[in-house]
């Protein structure tokens, strides 16, 4: 049967065990279908398991029970088809920008000329072709994050996971990076799952917003953002949706206290 679902999360549970033998439930009964080429943003109270969820989808962590599948196959380890961008830029300081972008291609044993051509094309896409021979310390935070995005895209994943990638940036750079990311997404049409603490950022970026419940994390609400792009932050619908989501988050924070 043909389906638009690329990632399916069914009855996902994640429990951690402390050294003292205590069990901590991070995620409980989490269910979600993620459709191909969809831009998903996940918001929720601190400690609700947003980053843990991404790590399980990426194959970097395992579920305690339940199933997370990619195109019908259970995810049990990292895959080229699922890329991840972290809040920390995680660039190798001893490698040039283009060598950082081509790192995954090098692991996949592409010939040097081919991987440099691929890496160069993605640097051009993020507007950093003139910085190919620079080192990470010579770039601003926003530029470093663009390099990290280019590196993830160079591996041609079908799904891109992003864990608060703009959280460390100043407000102006963050807005510019949001616009840049939407431009890249529209050119490549990847499926993006983007974790953020910013309700404004989620509304600006997402097709669908997942509001998570407080610890242990689950799906509180699935919101389809029925607004055309580019989105106007002065639009009353924008403010109305922000107020609605903030109220949901306030309810969840209140539960924890």
């Amino acid at each position: 049967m043909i389906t638009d679902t690329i990632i399916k999360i069914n009855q996902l549970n994640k429990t951690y065990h402390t050294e003292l033998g205590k069990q901590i439930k991070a995620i409980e009964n989490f269910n979600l279908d993620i459709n191909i080429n969809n831009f998903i943003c996940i918001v929720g109270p601190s400690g609700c398991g947003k980053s843990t969820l991404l790590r399980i989808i990426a194959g970097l962590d395992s579920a305690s029970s339940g199933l997370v599948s990619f195109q019908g196959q259970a995810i049990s380890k990292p895959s080229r088809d699922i890329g991840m961008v972290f809040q920390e830029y995680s660039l190798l300081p001893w490698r040039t920008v283009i060598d950082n972008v081509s790192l995954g291609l090098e692991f996949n044993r592409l010939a040097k000329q081919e991987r440099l051509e691929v890496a160069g094309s993605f640097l051009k896409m993020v507007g950093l072709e003139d910085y190919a021979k620079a080192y990470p310390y010579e770039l601003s935070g926003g530029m470093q994050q663009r390099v990290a995005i280019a590196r993830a895209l160079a591996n041609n994943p079908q799904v891109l996971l992003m864990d608060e990638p703009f959280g460390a940036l100043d407000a102006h750079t963050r807005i510019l990076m949001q616009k840049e990311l939407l431009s890249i997404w529209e050119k490549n049409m990847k499926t993006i799952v983007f974790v953020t603490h910013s309700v404004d950022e989620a509304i600006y970026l997402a097709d669908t917003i997942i509001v998570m419940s407080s610890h242990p994390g689950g799906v509180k609400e699935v919101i389809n953002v029925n607004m055309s792009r580019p989105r106007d932050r002065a639009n009353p619908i924008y403010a109305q949706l922000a107020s609605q989501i903030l109220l949901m988050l306030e309810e969840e924070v209140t539960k924890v206290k």
Side-chain angles (χ1 to χ4, degrees):
M1 184 175 69
I2 297 174
T3 177
D4 289 332
T5 301
I6 190 168
I7 292 176
K8 189 174 185 66
I9 305 171
N10 186 35
Q11 290 294 304
L12 174 65
N13 292 278
K14 177 62 179 180
T15 302
Y16 290 104
H17 299 269
T18 70
E19 291 183 1
L20 298 176
K22 184 179 178 182
Q23 292 188 352
I24 300 175
K25 279 190 175 182
I27 299 173
E28 186 173 49
N29 297 330
F30 194 102
N31 296 282
L32 182 67
D33 287 354
I34 298 173
N35 289 340
I36 192 167
N37 298 339
N38 207 0
F39 200 129
I40 302 278
C41 277
I42 300 176
V43 297
S46 294
C48 72
K50 300 184 294 294
S51 295
T52 298
L53 176 66
L54 281 200
R55 289 181 60 83
I56 293 172
I57 296 173
L60 298 172
D61 203 348
S62 58
S64 299
S65 64
L67 180 66
V68 181
S69 61
F70 169 76
Q71 294 185 328
Q73 299 296 315
I75 297 171
S76 59
K77 61 182 180 180
S79 162
R80 282 187 59 189
D81 291 319
I82 302 177
M84 190 157 180
V85 177
F86 300 90
Q87 181 173 347
E88 303 81 14
Y89 314 126
S90 62
L91 303 178
L92 301 179
W94 60 87
R95 293 179 69 113
T96 63
V97 163
I98 196 162
D99 286 339
N100 265 285
V101 174
S102 65
L103 183 62
L105 304 173
E106 189 175 327
F107 287 149
N108 292 321
R109 301 184 183 279
L110 259 67
K112 183 176 182 179
Q113 187 58 38
E114 184 178 357
R115 65 176 182 256
L116 290 178
E117 287 175 4
V118 172
S121 69
F122 281 99
L123 276 178
K124 185 174 182 179
M125 181 181 295
V126 299
L128 291 175
E129 64 269 31
D130 292 339
Y131 295 86
K133 297 300 183 182
Y135 287 88
Y137 74 88
E138 298 177 288
L139 307 181
S140 68
M143 293 165 76
Q144 289 187 54
Q145 195 58 284
R146 277 192 276 168
V147 174
I149 292 169
R151 181 177 61 186
L153 289 171
N155 293 317
N156 196 29
Q158 295 186 51
V159 177
L160 188 59
L161 308 176
M162 309 188 79
D163 191 3
E164 293 193 73
F166 307 149
L169 304 178
D170 64 82
H172 177 65
T173 304
R174 187 168 187 157
I175 289 172
L176 293 177
M177 287 298 299
Q178 290 166 3
K179 292 179 179 179
E180 185 74 31
L181 178 59
L182 283 176
S183 175
I184 293 168
W185 173 69
E186 287 166 357
K187 290 173 186 173
N188 285 266
M189 291 313 292
K190 304 292 183 184
T191 302
I192 295 182
V193 184
F194 187 108
V195 162
T196 179
H197 272 104
S198 169
V199 171
D200 171 82
E201 185 165 69
I203 297 171
Y204 187 79
L205 293 174
D207 296 316
T208 306
I209 298 172
I210 310 302
V211 182
M212 286 184 65
S213 56
S214 58
H215 181 82
V219 176
K220 179 179 177 70
E221 193 76 36
V222 177
I223 300 171
N224 294 315
V225 184
N226 297 314
M227 296 171 64
S228 59
R229 294 186 177 95
R231 291 178 181 154
D232 181 3
R233 288 177 161 93
N235 186 333
I237 298 174
Y238 198 110
Q240 198 173 47
L241 183 54
S243 178
Q244 176 187 344
I245 296 171
L246 287 169
L247 182 59
M248 292 180 191
L249 294 176
E250 187 178 337
E251 289 173 353
E252 292 305 311
V253 171
T254 303
K255 286 180 184 177
V256 176
K257 292 180 179 180

